[in-house]
Amino acid sequence: MNKKYKLAIVAAVIVFTIITCINPVYPEEQYLQHIGTALLVLLMLFDIRKNILGKVSFIGLALFTALHIIGARYIYSYVPYDEFAQRLCGVSINELLGTTRNHYDRFVHFSFGLLMMPMFSQVAEKKMKCTKGIAIVVAWMLIQTGSMIYELFEWLLTIVMSPEAADNYNGQQGDMWDAQKDMALALLGSSVTATLMLITKKQQKP
């Protein structure tokens, strides 16, 4: 992928971040969430310098970053996706799911597995010198490892922060199995992409 296109995508992500920080709904929590945004943007800038990632991998990284930025705006637990769906389509997503919980955080954990698999696979292939098949397996395992490490990080936050602040950041919404469900969704998302990548790889064989 051309570096100029990558730079344009990063610029769009940065502008989007700035726009979402105007009149913040939850200022302190939002800025804490943007530590993750900064790390993701730095990752994209690093790739622009090294030019490792292809189009699918880089766009997947950018899309995941954009989803996180939206979550940061509303500290995940209050993203008004249901209200938006009702205004746009006249349909309540929560009613369809039979729940009152805000599931945006679940969607982002699923998207982590779904969108980041190509990036991890390409890194494994290029930097670890894996074959394409092994790179997909390594990427799948890295997704699960990354998901687990993030949940451990959230657990540590519950120890050092006040219960209210930790709950606002973690978005548990009173669910004691939140971490396990988040990891399961990351596993599901990565499994979907891994399956598609393996099918594509098999079809590309002469």
Side-chain angles (χ1 to χ4, degrees):
M1 186 178 186
N2 191 293
K3 286 187 177 183
K4 290 182 179 179
Y5 291 126
K6 288 184 176 181
L7 192 58
I9 290 172
V10 173
V13 168
I14 292 172
V15 170
F16 183 51
T17 304
I18 293 170
I19 291 171
T20 62
C21 287
I22 297 172
N23 298 322
V25 187
Y26 309 96
E28 292 182 10
E29 293 88 349
Q30 181 179 358
Y31 297 138
L32 181 61
Q33 291 279 359
H34 278 315
I35 294 173
T37 307
L39 292 173
L40 289 166
V41 170
L42 285 173
L43 183 58
M44 285 188 281
L45 290 172
F46 177 78
D47 179 66
I48 290 174
R49 182 182 175 188
K50 298 293 184 179
N51 202 25
I52 299 170
L53 302 179
K55 183 190 297 184
V56 173
S57 300
F58 195 85
I59 291 175
L61 173 59
L63 286 174
F64 177 74
T65 305
L67 290 174
H68 171 69
I69 291 167
I70 294 169
R73 167 75 178 180
Y74 299 98
I75 58 172
Y76 280 89
S77 297
Y78 306 104
V79 175
Y81 65 85
D82 200 54
E83 293 87 340
F84 181 75
Q86 289 183 50
R87 289 176 185 174
L88 188 65
C89 310
V91 175
S92 170
I93 295 174
N94 280 356
E95 281 186 14
L96 290 175
L97 294 175
T99 181
T100 57
R101 187 189 191 278
N102 190 299
H103 284 285
Y104 187 80
D105 64 322
R106 300 266 197 260
F107 172 67
V108 174
H109 281 280
F110 174 77
S111 299
F112 173 67
L114 191 76
L115 297 173
M116 300 290 273
M117 264 293 297
M119 183 194 78
F120 283 115
S121 177
Q122 196 162 19
V123 170
E125 190 176 342
K126 288 190 175 182
K127 294 299 180 182
M128 300 171 67
K129 308 301 180 184
C130 298
T131 62
K132 285 189 177 181
I134 296 299
I136 292 170
V137 175
V138 169
W140 186 87
M141 291 190 293
L142 286 172
I143 291 289
Q144 315 325 318
T145 303
S147 181
M148 179 193 67
I149 290 172
Y150 182 75
E151 294 301 331
L152 288 173
F153 167 71
E154 286 193 340
W155 170 70
L156 288 172
L157 284 181
T158 64
I159 297 175
V160 300
M161 298 173 72
S162 68
E164 182 181 358
D167 189 62
N168 284 337
Y169 182 86
N170 294 342
Q172 289 177 262
Q173 300 178 60
D175 187 352
M176 65 180 292
W177 301 107
D178 181 68
Q180 289 84 350
K181 290 175 182 177
D182 289 346
M183 288 189 289
L185 283 166
L187 186 151
L188 176 61
S190 61
S191 297
V192 169
T193 302
T195 301
L196 292 174
M197 292 172 73
L198 288 169
I199 292 171
T200 303
K201 174 182 172 294
K202 187 176 290 187
Q203 289 176 343
Q204 287 175 346
K205 284 186 177 181

